[in-house]
Amino acid sequence: MAMHILLVEDDVKLGELIQYKLKKQLYQVEWVLDAEYALELMERVTFDIYIFDWMIPYKTGIELCKEIRMKKNRTPILMLTARDSVTDRVQGLNAGADDYLVKPFDFEELIARLHALYRRKETNWEADTKIFGDTLVIDHSTFEVSRNGVSIPLSRREFQLLSFMSQHPKQILSREQLSDRVWGIDAEITLNTVDATIKLLRKKLDDPFEDKIIQNVRGLGYRLAVEGGE
């Protein structure tokens, strides 16, 4: 499945190079030059991994880490910096970064670290039972879902779809994102398949209850309208 990456790097030559090489690996990459635009983009788009340079305009990468962690955004963060002292590394990790890569770096190492962060993210998530709002419970160890205490049997694909949406509560996810992440980027399906699966999921998860939590955002996609999982 294709990773969707946000790169925040104000060195134009380095930013262009990283974006070019990541796209050659078939990753989706959004590259911005400063922290303010990065924060704006995070409000509108769901990413799998953030790559932050330490020194960027408006806020440092450290300050950016702290701000998004305060918002309970758990997206993995890889910090890029020329600083290589133990003190600097500790500062970055304490701010909420998940990994740290010192410039200059080998591109193969960058890819390996991104893959490790992605695997860690998926493993950590699936090991937990998540409770959303006051009603929805998703148990990733048993693949069980309940709402208002009522067990809701789902197919494997329906569970995968709900699981991915629950990783990004209240965020709009495009049909393309859902297709890539749930079926896989190489899957030979149409976007109508996504719509049909959403329809089946809503019938099970929403129809029996007064409050509807899977919302269709016209022209943009779908979102799970619940508070983040705890």
Side-chain angles (χ1 to χ4, degrees), residues 16-229:
E16 287 179 343
L17 179 62
I18 294 175
Q19 183 183 51
Y20 170 75
K21 292 202 170 186
L22 290 178
K23 284 188 172 182
K24 282 192 69 177
Q25 298 290 320
L26 301 182
Y27 302 145
Q28 300 178 60
V29 185
E30 303 290 341
W31 168 41
V32 299
L33 298 170
D34 62 70
E36 286 192 357
Y37 190 21
L39 289 168
E40 178 186 334
L41 202 55
M42 289 174 197
E43 294 295 323
R44 297 187 284 108
V45 182
T46 299
F47 295 96
D48 296 306
I49 293 178
Y50 301 139
I51 303 175
F52 296 162
D53 184 33
W54 186 298
M55 298 304 298
I56 50 179
Y58 302 113
K59 298 176 186 288
T60 66
I62 295 294
E63 291 169 334
L64 192 54
C65 281
K66 290 179 179 178
E67 182 164 343
I68 68 171
R69 292 307 188 219
M70 286 180 64
K71 295 179 179 178
K72 300 191 182 302
N73 183 332
R74 293 185 257 180
T75 302
I77 300 171
L78 174 64
M79 290 288 297
L80 302 179
T81 180
R83 303 172 181 239
D84 60 357
S85 72
V86 173
T87 301
D88 290 328
R89 291 175 188 241
V90 170
Q91 184 181 358
L93 296 172
N94 286 343
D98 297 276
D99 202 356
Y100 192 106
L101 193 56
V102 176
K103 301 176 182 178
F105 53 82
D106 187 84
F107 183 72
E108 283 71 22
E109 182 178 4
L110 173 63
I111 293 294
R113 288 175 183 265
L114 291 175
H115 280 209
L117 287 176
Y118 186 76
R119 287 194 301 269
R120 191 186 313 165
K121 170 191 171 186
E122 296 297 306
T123 301
N124 288 345
W125 181 269
E126 294 179 0
D128 296 333
T129 297
K130 299 293 180 181
I131 302 173
F132 298 86
D134 298 323
T135 66
L136 179 63
V137 178
I138 303 175
D139 189 334
H140 289 84
S141 61
T142 63
F143 303 101
E144 294 177 345
V145 175
S146 64
R147 190 169 175 201
N148 291 349
V150 178
S151 179
I152 302 173
L154 299 179
S155 70
R156 176 176 173 271
R157 191 68 72 190
E158 291 164 355
F159 185 90
Q160 290 175 328
L161 184 59
L162 177 61
S163 177
F164 176 61
M165 293 181 72
S166 70
Q167 294 179 44
H168 310 283
K170 292 193 172 182
Q171 296 185 38
I172 300 171
L173 300 168
S174 70
R175 296 152 77 213
E176 291 82 3
Q177 282 180 290
L178 294 172
S179 174
D180 288 350
R181 289 299 310 276
V182 176
W183 281 265
I185 195 170
D186 296 322
E188 295 182 359
I189 67 164
T190 68
L191 296 182
N192 288 336
T193 302
V194 177
D195 293 333
T197 309
I198 285 282
K199 184 177 181 179
L200 292 172
L201 185 58
R202 294 174 83 174
K203 184 175 182 179
K204 295 179 180 181
L205 199 63
D206 275 349
D207 284 3
F209 305 97
E210 182 177 353
D211 296 331
K212 310 307 178 185
I213 61 176
I214 297 181
Q215 298 179 345
N216 180 3
V217 184
R218 185 177 295 275
L220 296 177
Y222 299 95
R223 67 179 165 201
L224 190 65
V226 292
E227 297 295 333

